[in-house]
Amino acid sequence: MTSQIIENVLQALMAGLLAGAIYGLMCVGLGLIFGVMRVINFAQGDFMMLGMYVAYYLFLSAGIQTAFGSVIGPYVAILLSAPLLFLFGYWIHKLLIARVTGRRTAQLEGDGHFAQLILTLGVALVLQNGGLIVFGSVLASIRTPLSASAWEIGPLWNDDLVSVFINKARGIAALISIAAMIGLTALITRTRMGKALRAAADNPVAATYMGIDIDKSHRLAFGIGAAVTAVAGGLLATNYPFHPYIGIDYVIVMYAGVVLGGMGSITGAFWGGMTIGLVQQLSTLVLPTQLQNAAIFVVFLLIIFLRPQGFFGHVVERT
Amino acid sequence: MLKLDGICAGYSVVPVLKDVSLTVEAGQFVAIVGPNGAGKTTLFKTISGIVQPSAGTIMFEGVDLAGIPAAKRPHLGIAHVPEGRQVFPSLSVMENLEMGAFTDAGRRAWKQNLERIFALLPVLAERRDQFAGTLSGGEQQMVAIGRGLASAPKLLMLDEPSMGLAPAIADFIFEKLIEIRAETKLTILLVEQRVAEALDTADRGYVLEAGRVVLEGNNATLRADDRIRQAYLGM
């Protein structure tokens, strides 16, 4: 009896870590756009949806399944969706969002946030409805044989039969998420380009005095953010079926993750997403599944009440 | 090196600069003095390309800056140390300096420049890993100056480096400027409200009042001028 409970808790914990890693990566994408560049993007969930469909069609229709097989193929397709979504984000920014961000908005009310809100909400609606027309309303999924098999850890001790199972597709998705997060953190904190992006977000006018092109920095950050979230979406799609309206389900989770982790912190956004995954899965131990999202936001509000700046938010005096 | 001719500029409909002309020769230390609201900062922003002039031309080393966007101008060798320091608060001191070296010239000379900056302003070496936003005003001013030097500029523009600092710190910053000048022979354009010190240090000065150059000359001429003595030097 006790061993049953222990096993359930460990299983939920593992499920939370695996889901949390993907949510974390999703949040990192938004973290770059909203947390670092301070652009409100309500279409982020729909960028993710687009990433899912791009990976799906690359896998099925662009010959990746035949070339790489059903085991490696989905991951190749997901990684290839990243540059495509980068370009998509880059151009969406150049054509639309640049008009309500950057140096231009210094004089606008609320730093152009009102305009960004409406504009990106509009983009979200166009993508959702466009998706419905182009992709149809039938649930799609990127099927891999890995999602039907699992690794078993255990039995954890000899005289008992407690063991934890890790679904292979989810395990690999979590590992790729963590690797992508580490790569992105290195990009933002170590490279010249990453530092320039942060400088541009910190003080656009001073960054211009350094010779940094602000509009270009914003475009790059937006493109990278879109690509990262799209990869997270693709990984999610190897475990869960999706549809053109899936973005709405996740965009709020992403914002919660970014705020939870602390605005401006990429690592924070990842842990914010991880927390949400853990709460979601652990809550199923004591609550009915329908209350998962309620549980997430109760915990979210609690953490924000206790630590308003988020896990990794630091207070730096603004000049 | 830098030549402004008949510059008019302002914000939307409010003109700030009216027909301003000035020249900075290579190797010179030029000071612009004048009261609050005279247009000194606007003048700098116009040279940096943040404010577009409505008339007049700006030439830098024989190149007309009119068609050159603000973010390209630092790459020509113009470093702007802005009013109020404007450091990157959530970047470390080291990263702030690295951003100064965003220009190609700055990147090539990064090692030597960093050594020089740390020798000149040792406090920056001590605080290299600290967030710039957590530093004191004087230390932030040093970051801003270090950041300007890190770009390996041909022209260093300093906008009121003593503003908002305790007098002792302001004196220290001034000494550093004299040291930089003596050591590097860098061309410097300085905007300052501490007129006596500015005119002592500079080769040449301009007095800006209500958006116009009302007086110009080398430092001896200016310091001997009765209007300057009465209005600014308190003599």
Side-chain angles (χ1 to χ4, degrees):
Chain A
M1 188 59 206
T2 6
S3 65
Q4 186 61 48
I5 293 173
I6 293 173
E7 189 171 274
N8 282 347
V9 170
L10 287 177
Q11 197 59 55
L13 195 67
M14 185 50 77
L17 288 172
L18 297 180
I22 300 181
Y23 291 174
L25 187 63
M26 226 181 259
C27 292
V28 162
L30 183 69
L32 202 60
I33 292 173
F34 175 58
V36 179
M37 307 312 280
R38 302 286 157 118
V39 175
I40 295 182
N41 179 23
F42 263 107
Q44 190 75 6
D46 306 290
F47 288 4
M48 183 186 90
M49 176 272 291
L50 215 53
M52 289 167 143
Y53 277 102
V54 167
Y56 175 78
Y57 283 112
L58 279 177
F59 178 57
L60 287 181
S61 318
I64 287 180
Q65 187 172 26
T66 29
F68 293 91
S70 299
V71 178
I72 310 281
Y75 302 105
V76 175
I78 290 164
L79 292 182
L80 284 179
S81 73
L84 293 174
L85 263 290
F86 170 83
L87 287 178
F88 179 77
Y90 188 93
W91 280 97
I92 284 277
H93 189 280
K94 195 178 170 96
L95 296 176
L96 294 172
I97 297 176
R99 300 183 190 279
V100 290
T101 55
R103 248 189 338 110
R104 227 165 310 204
T105 61
Q107 293 92 5
L108 285 182
E109 206 174 340
D111 290 341
H113 281 163
F114 303 139
Q116 289 161 19
L117 197 83
I118 304 302
L119 177 69
T120 58
L121 214 50
V123 171
L125 289 172
V126 169
L127 287 177
Q128 285 161 18
N129 290 301
L132 203 57
I133 295 168
V134 177
F135 308 129
S137 60
V138 183
L139 284 176
S141 65
I142 301 176
R143 274 195 212 90
T144 150
L146 295 176
S147 60
S149 63
W151 289 297
E152 183 182 351
I153 302 177
L156 291 174
W157 48 91
N158 292 334
D159 58 334
D160 223 319
L161 286 170
V162 177
S163 38
V164 177
F165 293 93
I166 301 175
N167 178 300
K168 285 184 182 170
R170 292 185 198 180
I172 290 171
L175 287 177
I176 295 176
S177 297
I178 291 167
M181 198 280 288
I182 292 171
L184 194 75
T185 310
L187 182 81
I188 295 300
T189 56
R190 303 244 183 277
T191 66
R192 199 171 103 96
M193 187 191 92
K195 288 172 191 173
L197 290 184
R198 280 154 55 216
D202 240 12
N203 188 334
V205 174
T208 308
Y209 293 151
M210 304 298 115
I212 297 165
D213 185 332
I214 300 299
D215 287 335
K216 196 174 140 203
S217 301
H218 271 253
R219 281 200 294 279
L220 280 174
F222 205 82
I224 296 170
V228 168
T229 299
V231 168
L235 293 171
L236 199 67
T238 59
N239 302 310
Y240 297 99
F242 55 95
H243 49 82
Y245 280 79
I246 198 158
I248 307 171
D249 299 341
Y250 285 95
V251 72
I252 302 297
V253 168
M254 284 189 241
Y255 274 96
V258 171
V259 173
L260 209 53
M263 294 283 288
S265 167
I266 293 295
T267 328
F270 182 80
W271 290 115
M274 178 61 86
T275 308
I276 287 172
L278 281 170
V279 172
Q280 188 188 56
Q281 297 300 322
L282 288 173
S283 71
T284 57
L285 289 171
V286 287
L287 292 172
T289 333
Q290 301 94 301
L291 288 180
Q292 272 184 356
N293 287 336
I296 291 173
F297 281 93
V298 169
V299 173
F300 171 76
L301 293 176
L302 250 172
I303 296 175
I304 291 305
F305 178 74
L306 295 170
R307 198 176 156 78
Q309 73 272 40
F311 298 144
F312 285 75
H314 43 248
V315 182
V316 287
E317 188 194 336
R318 296 268 157 180
T319 47
Chain B
M1 174 179 267
L2 179 73
K3 193 168 163 50
L4 274 67
D5 194 23
I7 286 292
C8 299
Y11 304 95
S12 48
V13 290
V14 188
V16 178
L17 300 175
K18 295 150 196 153
D19 193 23
V20 172
S21 300
L22 66 84
T23 311
V24 180
E25 301 290 349
Q28 263 187 341
F29 188 132
V30 176
I32 300 170
V33 298
N36 263 340
K40 305 188 296 294
T41 295
T42 305
L43 179 65
F44 267 27
K45 286 186 173 169
T46 311
I47 298 171
S48 285
I50 298 286
V51 171
Q52 296 304 322
S54 52
T57 54
I58 307 174
M59 305 289 281
F60 181 71
E61 293 196 304
V63 179
D64 188 348
L65 293 185
I68 298 177
K72 289 255 159 39
R73 297 188 189 186
H75 299 280
L76 299 177
I78 302 176
H80 185 161
V81 178
E83 182 186 31
R85 308 178 279 273
Q86 308 284 339
V87 297
F88 301 115
S90 71
L91 266 59
S92 71
V93 168
M94 197 64 180
E95 287 171 336
N96 265 274
L97 297 177
E98 282 173 43
M99 287 302 100
F102 196 77
T103 61
D104 287 339
R107 234 186 330 169
R108 263 184 311 234
W110 169 244
K111 282 229 165 66
Q112 308 92 284
N113 279 345
L114 189 67
E115 262 173 48
R116 248 183 48 207
I117 292 164
F118 281 166
L120 197 71
L121 305 161
V123 73
L124 297 187
E126 275 167 42
R127 306 205 179 262
R128 57 167 73 184
D129 295 322
Q130 214 169 312
F131 287 121
T134 63
L135 301 178
S136 72
E139 289 165 343
Q140 289 191 3
Q141 187 62 59
M142 291 179 218
V143 172
I145 293 172
R147 205 172 56 174
L149 290 174
S151 71
K154 293 171 185 161
L155 169 70
L156 181 66
M157 304 202 301
L158 297 150
D159 194 349
E160 299 214 28
S162 69
M163 192 180 78
L165 301 180
I169 309 286
D171 287 345
F172 175 81
I173 297 283
F174 245 98
E175 279 165 33
K176 289 299 167 187
L177 291 185
I178 296 167
E179 221 178 301
I180 292 168
R181 165 85 179 137
E183 197 186 298
T184 61
K185 300 281 171 246
L186 191 62
T187 312
I188 295 178
L189 182 60
L190 171 77
V191 154
E192 193 45 74
Q193 288 201 50
R194 291 166 59 113
V195 176
E197 287 93 335
L199 291 184
D200 271 346
T201 329
D203 302 316
R204 195 176 157 72
Y206 288 85
V207 181
L208 203 63
E209 273 174 19
R212 289 178 197 281
V213 174
V214 293
L215 209 59
E216 61 174 285
N218 61 30
N219 70 350
T221 333
L222 286 182
R223 269 185 301 167
D225 189 277
D226 280 340
R227 287 184 50 201
I228 294 276
R229 287 161 67 95
Q230 280 163 14
Y232 297 109
L233 303 180
M235 287 189 267

